Amino acid sequence: MIIPHRADGGKNDVSAAELLKDERAARGWLTQAFAPSTEQWAQIERFVTMLIAENAKQNLIAASTIPAIWARHIADSAQLLALDTREGEGLWIDLGSGPGLPGLVVAILSERPMLLVESRRRRCDFLRAVVAELALDHVEVAEAPLERVATRPAATISARAFAPLDRLIDLSARFSTESTRWLLPKGRNAVKELALLPEPWQRMFHVEQSRTDAESGILVGTGRIAPKKRGKA
Ligand SMILES: C[S@@+](CC[C@H](N)C(=O)[O-])C[C@H]1O[C@@H](n2cnc3c(N)ncnc32)[C@H](O)[C@@H]1O
């Protein structure tokens, strides 16, 4: 069962009737939830323009989603920030960031230090181009398979369309601490994927309904997952 949005002081709460189904609703919600400055709006607009232009050169987002890019990608990414409103300065790691979804959207809307992990060089070239263009000094790009990224404690771990849940956790457990917030959009399989996890991990997570699709869920959890012990080869 997907748990509907819980009131967040009222500020970020939406009922099913207010799902962000179109571009106007998505932009309206961004304004209401994050009150972006003029500079942040300009940065988001520029990111959207760069993403659409780059998509003609490499496949970053489904072309069919471009007319709804604010709802399907920008608000869909920003909703993760609304699920981790802690003011702390801890590192946010976005796994398999692709074109920076959700990592770059979060980085534009917040000052959280951000590590974007992406293994494909052309995608990293795009990430670096956006970081430079928007002067996002708090963003680092790790061009490597996650398996080869040095372990650092993460305050937040996000991963959108990165890997099946068990593999995602297996690869990223070493970055988690007792206070790590896990934000894992899992589409329509969220409940099923959660049910397949070992019991102690299952209890760490609950499923939040996505603001952009009533049938989709985001796994939200807090805590450390002990990395699997690997035998010596
Ligand atoms: C389906 S895309 C999703 C991209 C983005 N998060 C989004 O929602 O649009 C998955 C991304 O993960 C990257 N990826 C897959 N396995 C990876 C790994 N082991 N380490 C780092 N990146 C990986 C791929 O190159 C790809 O860009």
Side-chain angles (χ1 to χ4, degrees), residues 115-176:
L115 177 65
L116 307 175
V117 181
E118 172 53 53
S119 55
R120 291 206 215 172
R121 199 183 73 201
R122 284 187 77 201
R123 293 184 178 187
C124 290
D125 287 343
F126 174 70
L127 292 172
R128 286 185 286 260
V130 176
V131 167
E133 170 95 5
L134 305 185
L136 297 172
D137 297 338
H138 56 304
V139 178
E140 243 180 281
V141 177
E143 180 185 328
L146 181 61
E147 298 87 324
R148 297 221 303 267
V149 174
T151 303
R152 292 158 69 172
T156 305
I157 293 174
S158 62
R160 181 188 191 245
F162 170 63
L165 187 58
D166 51 352
R167 177 167 158 74
L168 189 173
I169 287 181
D170 188 27
L171 289 179
S172 56
R174 66 193 168 93
F175 297 92
S176 67

Short mmCIF file of all heavy atoms in Angstrom, two decimals, residues 115-176:
data_model
loop_
_atom_site.label_atom_id
_atom_site.label_comp_id
_atom_site.label_asym_id
_atom_site.label_seq_id
_atom_site.Cartn_x
_atom_site.Cartn_y
_atom_site.Cartn_z
N LEU A 115 27.13 15.03 -4.59
CA LEU A 115 28.02 14.20 -5.39
C LEU A 115 27.17 13.44 -6.40
O LEU A 115 26.30 12.65 -6.02
CB LEU A 115 28.78 13.21 -4.49
CG LEU A 115 29.71 12.22 -5.21
CD1 LEU A 115 30.87 12.97 -5.88
CD2 LEU A 115 30.25 11.17 -4.24
N LEU A 116 27.42 13.71 -7.68
CA LEU A 116 26.69 13.02 -8.75
C LEU A 116 27.55 11.86 -9.23
O LEU A 116 28.67 12.09 -9.72
CB LEU A 116 26.42 13.97 -9.92
CG LEU A 116 25.74 15.31 -9.59
CD1 LEU A 116 25.66 16.18 -10.85
CD2 LEU A 116 24.35 15.07 -9.01
N VAL A 117 27.06 10.65 -9.08
CA VAL A 117 27.84 9.48 -9.53
C VAL A 117 27.25 8.99 -10.84
O VAL A 117 26.06 8.67 -10.91
CB VAL A 117 27.80 8.35 -8.48
CG1 VAL A 117 28.64 7.17 -8.96
CG2 VAL A 117 28.30 8.85 -7.13
N GLU A 118 28.09 8.95 -11.86
CA GLU A 118 27.61 8.53 -13.19
C GLU A 118 28.77 7.88 -13.93
O GLU A 118 29.85 8.44 -13.99
CB GLU A 118 27.06 9.76 -13.95
CG GLU A 118 26.69 9.52 -15.40
CD GLU A 118 25.75 8.35 -15.62
OE1 GLU A 118 24.68 8.28 -14.98
OE2 GLU A 118 26.09 7.47 -16.43
N SER A 119 28.50 6.71 -14.49
CA SER A 119 29.62 5.97 -15.10
C SER A 119 29.87 6.34 -16.56
O SER A 119 30.96 6.13 -17.07
CB SER A 119 29.36 4.46 -14.98
OG SER A 119 28.11 4.14 -15.54
N ARG A 120 28.88 6.90 -17.24
CA ARG A 120 29.07 7.15 -18.68
C ARG A 120 29.69 8.52 -18.94
O ARG A 120 29.19 9.54 -18.46
CB ARG A 120 27.73 7.07 -19.40
CG ARG A 120 27.17 5.67 -19.42
CD ARG A 120 26.27 5.52 -20.61
NE ARG A 120 25.16 4.65 -20.26
CZ ARG A 120 24.12 4.43 -21.03
NH1 ARG A 120 24.01 5.06 -22.18
NH2 ARG A 120 23.17 3.61 -20.66
N ARG A 121 30.74 8.49 -19.76
CA ARG A 121 31.50 9.72 -19.95
C ARG A 121 30.70 10.85 -20.58
O ARG A 121 30.76 12.00 -20.14
CB ARG A 121 32.75 9.46 -20.80
CG ARG A 121 33.74 10.60 -20.61
CD ARG A 121 34.96 10.46 -21.46
NE ARG A 121 34.62 10.75 -22.84
CZ ARG A 121 35.33 10.35 -23.88
NH1 ARG A 121 36.40 9.61 -23.70
NH2 ARG A 121 34.99 10.66 -25.11
N ARG A 122 29.92 10.54 -21.60
CA ARG A 122 29.16 11.63 -22.28
C ARG A 122 28.16 12.26 -21.32
O ARG A 122 27.88 13.46 -21.39
CB ARG A 122 28.45 11.09 -23.51
CG ARG A 122 29.40 10.86 -24.67
CD ARG A 122 28.66 10.51 -25.92
NE ARG A 122 28.04 11.66 -26.57
CZ ARG A 122 27.04 11.57 -27.42
NH1 ARG A 122 26.49 10.41 -27.71
NH2 ARG A 122 26.54 12.66 -27.98
N ARG A 123 27.58 11.45 -20.47
CA ARG A 123 26.63 12.01 -19.50
C ARG A 123 27.38 12.89 -18.50
O ARG A 123 26.89 13.95 -18.11
CB ARG A 123 25.86 10.88 -18.81
CG ARG A 123 24.96 10.20 -19.82
CD ARG A 123 24.08 9.13 -19.30
NE ARG A 123 23.28 8.67 -20.44
CZ ARG A 123 22.29 7.83 -20.38
NH1 ARG A 123 21.92 7.33 -19.21
NH2 ARG A 123 21.62 7.47 -21.46
N CYS A 124 28.57 12.43 -18.11
CA CYS A 124 29.37 13.26 -17.19
C CYS A 124 29.80 14.55 -17.86
O CYS A 124 29.85 15.60 -17.20
CB CYS A 124 30.58 12.47 -16.69
SG CYS A 124 30.10 11.14 -15.58
N ASP A 125 30.09 14.50 -19.15
CA ASP A 125 30.45 15.74 -19.87
C ASP A 125 29.28 16.74 -19.76
O ASP A 125 29.48 17.93 -19.52
CB ASP A 125 30.73 15.45 -21.35
CG ASP A 125 32.06 14.73 -21.55
OD1 ASP A 125 32.89 14.74 -20.61
OD2 ASP A 125 32.25 14.14 -22.64
N PHE A 126 28.08 16.22 -19.93
CA PHE A 126 26.90 17.10 -19.81
C PHE A 126 26.77 17.62 -18.38
O PHE A 126 26.54 18.82 -18.16
CB PHE A 126 25.63 16.34 -20.23
CG PHE A 126 24.38 17.13 -20.01
CD1 PHE A 126 24.08 18.24 -20.78
CD2 PHE A 126 23.49 16.79 -18.98
CE1 PHE A 126 22.94 19.01 -20.56
CE2 PHE A 126 22.34 17.54 -18.75
CZ PHE A 126 22.06 18.65 -19.54
N LEU A 127 26.93 16.74 -17.41
CA LEU A 127 26.82 17.18 -16.00
C LEU A 127 27.83 18.28 -15.71
O LEU A 127 27.50 19.31 -15.11
CB LEU A 127 27.05 15.99 -15.05
CG LEU A 127 25.98 14.90 -15.05
CD1 LEU A 127 26.44 13.70 -14.22
CD2 LEU A 127 24.66 15.43 -14.53
N ARG A 128 29.06 18.08 -16.17
CA ARG A 128 30.11 19.09 -15.91
C ARG A 128 29.79 20.40 -16.63
O ARG A 128 30.03 21.48 -16.10
CB ARG A 128 31.48 18.55 -16.32
CG ARG A 128 32.03 17.50 -15.34
CD ARG A 128 33.45 17.07 -15.70
NE ARG A 128 33.46 16.20 -16.87
CZ ARG A 128 33.56 14.87 -16.82
NH1 ARG A 128 33.68 14.24 -15.66
NH2 ARG A 128 33.56 14.15 -17.93
N ALA A 129 29.22 20.29 -17.82
CA ALA A 129 28.87 21.52 -18.56
C ALA A 129 27.79 22.31 -17.81
O ALA A 129 27.87 23.53 -17.71
CB ALA A 129 28.37 21.15 -19.97
N VAL A 130 26.81 21.61 -17.25
CA VAL A 130 25.75 22.31 -16.52
C VAL A 130 26.32 22.91 -15.23
O VAL A 130 26.05 24.07 -14.89
CB VAL A 130 24.57 21.35 -16.18
CG1 VAL A 130 23.53 22.07 -15.32
CG2 VAL A 130 23.93 20.80 -17.45
N VAL A 131 27.15 22.14 -14.54
CA VAL A 131 27.75 22.64 -13.29
C VAL A 131 28.54 23.91 -13.55
O VAL A 131 28.44 24.90 -12.80
CB VAL A 131 28.64 21.54 -12.65
CG1 VAL A 131 29.52 22.11 -11.54
CG2 VAL A 131 27.77 20.40 -12.12
N ALA A 132 29.30 23.92 -14.65
CA ALA A 132 30.11 25.10 -14.98
C ALA A 132 29.21 26.27 -15.38
O ALA A 132 29.38 27.39 -14.90
CB ALA A 132 31.09 24.77 -16.10
N GLU A 133 28.26 25.99 -16.24
CA GLU A 133 27.37 27.06 -16.75
C GLU A 133 26.59 27.73 -15.62
O GLU A 133 26.40 28.94 -15.60
CB GLU A 133 26.42 26.43 -17.78
CG GLU A 133 25.30 27.33 -18.22
CD GLU A 133 25.62 28.09 -19.51
OE1 GLU A 133 26.67 27.83 -20.09
OE2 GLU A 133 24.78 28.93 -19.89
N LEU A 134 26.13 26.91 -14.67
CA LEU A 134 25.30 27.45 -13.59
C LEU A 134 26.11 27.80 -12.34
O LEU A 134 25.54 28.23 -11.34
CB LEU A 134 24.19 26.45 -13.21
CG LEU A 134 23.28 25.98 -14.35
CD1 LEU A 134 22.17 25.08 -13.81
CD2 LEU A 134 22.68 27.15 -15.10
N ALA A 135 27.44 27.61 -12.44
CA ALA A 135 28.34 27.92 -11.31
C ALA A 135 27.87 27.23 -10.03
O ALA A 135 27.74 27.87 -8.98
CB ALA A 135 28.46 29.43 -11.11
N LEU A 136 27.63 25.94 -10.14
CA LEU A 136 27.17 25.17 -8.97
C LEU A 136 28.41 24.62 -8.24
O LEU A 136 28.79 23.46 -8.39
CB LEU A 136 26.24 24.03 -9.41
CG LEU A 136 24.93 24.47 -10.09
CD1 LEU A 136 24.19 23.27 -10.67
CD2 LEU A 136 24.03 25.21 -9.09
N ASP A 137 29.00 25.48 -7.43
CA ASP A 137 30.27 25.13 -6.80
C ASP A 137 30.14 24.01 -5.76
O ASP A 137 31.14 23.43 -5.34
CB ASP A 137 30.87 26.37 -6.10
CG ASP A 137 31.19 27.46 -7.10
OD1 ASP A 137 31.36 27.12 -8.29
OD2 ASP A 137 31.26 28.63 -6.69
N HIS A 138 28.94 23.74 -5.33
CA HIS A 138 28.75 22.71 -4.31
C HIS A 138 28.46 21.34 -4.92
O HIS A 138 28.08 20.41 -4.21
CB HIS A 138 27.63 23.11 -3.33
CG HIS A 138 26.31 23.41 -4.00
ND1 HIS A 138 26.15 24.33 -5.00
CD2 HIS A 138 25.08 22.89 -3.79
CE1 HIS A 138 24.89 24.38 -5.37
NE2 HIS A 138 24.21 23.50 -4.65
N VAL A 139 28.66 21.22 -6.24
CA VAL A 139 28.39 19.93 -6.91
C VAL A 139 29.69 19.32 -7.42
O VAL A 139 30.50 20.00 -8.06
CB VAL A 139 27.43 20.13 -8.11
CG1 VAL A 139 27.19 18.81 -8.84
CG2 VAL A 139 26.11 20.72 -7.64
N GLU A 140 29.86 18.04 -7.16
CA GLU A 140 31.01 17.27 -7.66
C GLU A 140 30.48 16.19 -8.59
O GLU A 140 29.43 15.59 -8.27
CB GLU A 140 31.61 16.52 -6.47
CG GLU A 140 33.00 16.85 -6.05
CD GLU A 140 33.35 15.97 -4.85
OE1 GLU A 140 32.93 16.30 -3.74
OE2 GLU A 140 34.01 14.96 -5.05
N VAL A 141 31.20 15.91 -9.64
CA VAL A 141 30.80 14.81 -10.52
C VAL A 141 31.83 13.70 -10.39
O VAL A 141 33.03 13.93 -10.57
CB VAL A 141 30.73 15.28 -12.00
CG1 VAL A 141 30.38 14.12 -12.93
CG2 VAL A 141 29.73 16.43 -12.15
N ALA A 142 31.37 12.50 -10.04
CA ALA A 142 32.26 11.34 -9.99
C ALA A 142 32.00 10.52 -11.24
O ALA A 142 30.96 9.86 -11.35
CB ALA A 142 32.00 10.52 -8.73
N GLU A 143 32.93 10.58 -12.17
CA GLU A 143 32.77 9.81 -13.41
C GLU A 143 33.37 8.43 -13.19
O GLU A 143 34.57 8.22 -13.39
CB GLU A 143 33.46 10.52 -14.58
CG GLU A 143 33.30 9.74 -15.88
CD GLU A 143 34.07 10.35 -17.04
OE1 GLU A 143 34.23 11.58 -17.09
OE2 GLU A 143 34.51 9.56 -17.90
N ALA A 144 32.56 7.51 -12.73
CA ALA A 144 33.03 6.15 -12.43
C ALA A 144 31.83 5.29 -12.10
O ALA A 144 30.79 5.80 -11.68
CB ALA A 144 33.96 6.18 -11.21
N PRO A 145 32.01 3.97 -12.27
CA PRO A 145 30.97 3.09 -11.72
C PRO A 145 30.94 3.28 -10.20
O PRO A 145 32.00 3.48 -9.58
CB PRO A 145 31.46 1.68 -12.07
CG PRO A 145 32.60 1.85 -13.00
CD PRO A 145 33.11 3.24 -12.89
N LEU A 146 29.78 3.25 -9.63
CA LEU A 146 29.65 3.44 -8.18
C LEU A 146 30.59 2.51 -7.41
O LEU A 146 31.16 2.88 -6.38
CB LEU A 146 28.19 3.18 -7.77
CG LEU A 146 27.87 3.35 -6.29
CD1 LEU A 146 28.14 4.77 -5.83
CD2 LEU A 146 26.42 2.96 -6.03
N GLU A 147 30.77 1.32 -7.95
CA GLU A 147 31.61 0.32 -7.31
C GLU A 147 33.03 0.83 -7.07
O GLU A 147 33.76 0.34 -6.22
CB GLU A 147 31.70 -0.95 -8.19
CG GLU A 147 30.38 -1.66 -8.42
CD GLU A 147 29.57 -1.14 -9.60
OE1 GLU A 147 29.58 0.11 -9.85
OE2 GLU A 147 28.91 -1.95 -10.25
N ARG A 148 33.46 1.84 -7.87
CA ARG A 148 34.83 2.33 -7.75
C ARG A 148 34.94 3.69 -7.07
O ARG A 148 36.02 4.27 -7.01
CB ARG A 148 35.47 2.39 -9.15
CG ARG A 148 35.57 1.01 -9.81
CD ARG A 148 36.89 0.82 -10.54
NE ARG A 148 37.09 1.84 -11.55
CZ ARG A 148 36.75 1.71 -12.82
NH1 ARG A 148 36.20 0.58 -13.23
NH2 ARG A 148 36.96 2.68 -13.67
N VAL A 149 33.82 4.19 -6.58
CA VAL A 149 33.84 5.50 -5.92
C VAL A 149 34.25 5.30 -4.46
O VAL A 149 33.73 4.40 -3.78
CB VAL A 149 32.45 6.18 -6.01
CG1 VAL A 149 32.41 7.46 -5.19
CG2 VAL A 149 32.10 6.46 -7.46
N ALA A 150 35.20 6.14 -3.99
CA ALA A 150 35.68 6.00 -2.61
C ALA A 150 34.53 6.20 -1.62
O ALA A 150 33.67 7.07 -1.83
CB ALA A 150 36.77 7.04 -2.35
N THR A 151 34.55 5.42 -0.56
CA THR A 151 33.47 5.49 0.44
C THR A 151 33.53 6.81 1.20
O THR A 151 34.60 7.22 1.66
CB THR A 151 33.61 4.32 1.44
OG1 THR A 151 33.59 3.10 0.71
CG2 THR A 151 32.47 4.33 2.46
N ARG A 152 32.37 7.47 1.30
CA ARG A 152 32.23 8.70 2.10
C ARG A 152 30.87 8.61 2.77
O ARG A 152 29.93 8.06 2.20
CB ARG A 152 32.23 9.93 1.18
CG ARG A 152 33.57 10.17 0.53
CD ARG A 152 33.43 11.01 -0.73
NE ARG A 152 33.04 12.38 -0.43
CZ ARG A 152 33.02 13.34 -1.36
NH1 ARG A 152 33.35 13.08 -2.61
NH2 ARG A 152 32.67 14.56 -1.04
N PRO A 153 30.76 9.15 3.99
CA PRO A 153 29.45 9.09 4.65
C PRO A 153 28.45 10.00 3.95
O PRO A 153 28.75 11.18 3.70
CB PRO A 153 29.74 9.59 6.07
CG PRO A 153 31.07 10.26 6.01
CD PRO A 153 31.80 9.80 4.79
N ALA A 154 27.28 9.46 3.65
CA ALA A 154 26.24 10.24 2.97
C ALA A 154 25.14 10.61 3.95
O ALA A 154 24.63 9.76 4.66
CB ALA A 154 25.65 9.42 1.82
N ALA A 155 24.78 11.89 3.95
CA ALA A 155 23.61 12.30 4.74
C ALA A 155 22.34 11.87 4.01
O ALA A 155 21.34 11.51 4.62
CB ALA A 155 23.62 13.81 4.94
N THR A 156 22.41 11.91 2.67
CA THR A 156 21.26 11.51 1.86
C THR A 156 21.76 10.70 0.67
O THR A 156 22.79 11.03 0.08
CB THR A 156 20.53 12.76 1.31
OG1 THR A 156 20.18 13.61 2.41
CG2 THR A 156 19.26 12.38 0.56
N ILE A 157 21.03 9.65 0.35
CA ILE A 157 21.32 8.88 -0.85
C ILE A 157 20.05 8.87 -1.71
O ILE A 157 18.98 8.47 -1.23
CB ILE A 157 21.71 7.42 -0.52
CG1 ILE A 157 23.06 7.40 0.23
CG2 ILE A 157 21.78 6.57 -1.78
CD1 ILE A 157 23.48 6.01 0.74
N SER A 158 20.17 9.35 -2.94
CA SER A 158 19.04 9.27 -3.87
C SER A 158 19.46 8.44 -5.07
O SER A 158 20.64 8.35 -5.41
CB SER A 158 18.59 10.66 -4.32
OG SER A 158 19.63 11.33 -5.03
N ALA A 159 18.47 7.82 -5.69
CA ALA A 159 18.74 7.03 -6.89
C ALA A 159 17.42 6.89 -7.65
O ALA A 159 16.48 6.32 -7.12
CB ALA A 159 19.28 5.65 -6.52
N ARG A 160 17.39 7.47 -8.83
CA ARG A 160 16.17 7.42 -9.64
C ARG A 160 16.46 6.58 -10.88
O ARG A 160 17.39 6.89 -11.63
CB ARG A 160 15.79 8.86 -10.03
CG ARG A 160 14.54 9.04 -10.87
CD ARG A 160 14.51 10.50 -11.29
NE ARG A 160 13.28 10.94 -11.89
CZ ARG A 160 13.19 11.34 -13.16
NH1 ARG A 160 14.22 11.30 -13.98
NH2 ARG A 160 12.05 11.81 -13.63
N ALA A 161 15.71 5.52 -11.04
CA ALA A 161 15.88 4.62 -12.20
C ALA A 161 17.32 4.14 -12.31
O ALA A 161 17.88 4.10 -13.41
CB ALA A 161 15.44 5.33 -13.49
N PHE A 162 17.92 3.80 -11.19
CA PHE A 162 19.33 3.42 -11.19
C PHE A 162 19.53 1.91 -11.29
O PHE A 162 20.26 1.42 -12.14
CB PHE A 162 20.01 3.97 -9.93
CG PHE A 162 21.39 3.45 -9.68
CD1 PHE A 162 22.42 3.69 -10.58
CD2 PHE A 162 21.67 2.71 -8.55
CE1 PHE A 162 23.70 3.20 -10.36
CE2 PHE A 162 22.95 2.22 -8.32
CZ PHE A 162 23.96 2.45 -9.22
N ALA A 163 18.90 1.16 -10.41
CA ALA A 163 19.12 -0.29 -10.38
C ALA A 163 18.00 -0.92 -9.55
O ALA A 163 17.36 -0.24 -8.75
CB ALA A 163 20.47 -0.59 -9.74
N PRO A 164 17.78 -2.23 -9.74
CA PRO A 164 16.81 -2.91 -8.86
C PRO A 164 17.21 -2.70 -7.39
O PRO A 164 18.40 -2.56 -7.08
CB PRO A 164 16.94 -4.39 -9.26
CG PRO A 164 17.53 -4.36 -10.63
CD PRO A 164 18.39 -3.13 -10.71
N LEU A 165 16.22 -2.67 -6.52
CA LEU A 165 16.45 -2.25 -5.14
C LEU A 165 17.54 -3.05 -4.42
O LEU A 165 18.39 -2.48 -3.73
CB LEU A 165 15.12 -2.35 -4.36
CG LEU A 165 15.12 -1.80 -2.95
CD1 LEU A 165 15.53 -0.33 -2.93
CD2 LEU A 165 13.74 -1.97 -2.32
N ASP A 166 17.52 -4.37 -4.59
CA ASP A 166 18.51 -5.17 -3.85
C ASP A 166 19.93 -4.83 -4.31
O ASP A 166 20.84 -4.67 -3.50
CB ASP A 166 18.22 -6.69 -3.95
CG ASP A 166 18.03 -7.15 -5.38
OD1 ASP A 166 17.97 -6.30 -6.31
OD2 ASP A 166 17.94 -8.37 -5.59
N ARG A 167 20.09 -4.63 -5.62
CA ARG A 167 21.43 -4.27 -6.14
C ARG A 167 21.82 -2.86 -5.72
O ARG A 167 22.96 -2.59 -5.32
CB ARG A 167 21.42 -4.39 -7.67
CG ARG A 167 22.72 -3.97 -8.30
CD ARG A 167 22.80 -4.38 -9.77
NE ARG A 167 23.76 -3.58 -10.51
CZ ARG A 167 25.08 -3.69 -10.42
NH1 ARG A 167 25.61 -4.59 -9.60
NH2 ARG A 167 25.88 -2.92 -11.11
N LEU A 168 20.84 -1.97 -5.77
CA LEU A 168 21.09 -0.58 -5.37
C LEU A 168 21.62 -0.53 -3.93
O LEU A 168 22.62 0.12 -3.63
CB LEU A 168 19.74 0.16 -5.48
CG LEU A 168 19.64 1.67 -5.33
CD1 LEU A 168 18.21 2.08 -5.66
CD2 LEU A 168 20.02 2.19 -4.00
N ILE A 169 20.96 -1.28 -3.06
CA ILE A 169 21.37 -1.27 -1.65
C ILE A 169 22.71 -1.96 -1.48
O ILE A 169 23.58 -1.49 -0.74
CB ILE A 169 20.26 -1.91 -0.78
CG1 ILE A 169 19.10 -0.91 -0.70
CG2 ILE A 169 20.78 -2.26 0.61
CD1 ILE A 169 17.93 -1.33 0.13
N ASP A 170 22.88 -3.04 -2.20
CA ASP A 170 24.16 -3.75 -2.11
C ASP A 170 25.32 -2.82 -2.50
O ASP A 170 26.36 -2.78 -1.83
CB ASP A 170 24.08 -4.97 -3.04
CG ASP A 170 25.28 -5.89 -2.87
OD1 ASP A 170 25.86 -5.89 -1.76
OD2 ASP A 170 25.64 -6.57 -3.84
N LEU A 171 25.13 -2.05 -3.58
CA LEU A 171 26.20 -1.18 -4.06
C LEU A 171 26.43 0.05 -3.18
O LEU A 171 27.52 0.60 -3.14
CB LEU A 171 25.88 -0.68 -5.48
CG LEU A 171 25.96 -1.69 -6.61
CD1 LEU A 171 25.59 -1.02 -7.93
CD2 LEU A 171 27.37 -2.27 -6.70
N SER A 172 25.39 0.50 -2.49
CA SER A 172 25.49 1.80 -1.81
C SER A 172 25.52 1.71 -0.29
O SER A 172 25.75 2.73 0.37
CB SER A 172 24.33 2.71 -2.24
OG SER A 172 23.11 2.07 -1.99
N ALA A 173 25.35 0.53 0.27
CA ALA A 173 25.28 0.38 1.73
C ALA A 173 26.50 1.01 2.41
O ALA A 173 26.40 1.64 3.46
CB ALA A 173 25.18 -1.10 2.10
N ARG A 174 27.67 0.87 1.80
CA ARG A 174 28.90 1.36 2.45
C ARG A 174 28.92 2.87 2.63
O ARG A 174 29.73 3.40 3.37
CB ARG A 174 30.14 0.86 1.68
CG ARG A 174 30.28 1.43 0.30
CD ARG A 174 31.33 0.68 -0.50
NE ARG A 174 31.27 1.02 -1.91
CZ ARG A 174 32.00 1.98 -2.48
NH1 ARG A 174 32.87 2.67 -1.75
NH2 ARG A 174 31.89 2.23 -3.76
N PHE A 175 28.04 3.60 1.94
CA PHE A 175 27.99 5.06 2.09
C PHE A 175 27.04 5.48 3.22
O PHE A 175 26.93 6.66 3.54
CB PHE A 175 27.52 5.72 0.79
CG PHE A 175 28.45 5.49 -0.37
CD1 PHE A 175 28.27 4.41 -1.23
CD2 PHE A 175 29.52 6.35 -0.61
CE1 PHE A 175 29.13 4.20 -2.30
CE2 PHE A 175 30.38 6.14 -1.67
CZ PHE A 175 30.20 5.05 -2.52
N SER A 176 26.31 4.52 3.78
CA SER A 176 25.25 4.89 4.73
C SER A 176 25.76 4.96 6.16
O SER A 176 26.73 4.30 6.54
CB SER A 176 24.07 3.90 4.63
OG SER A 176 24.45 2.61 5.09
#
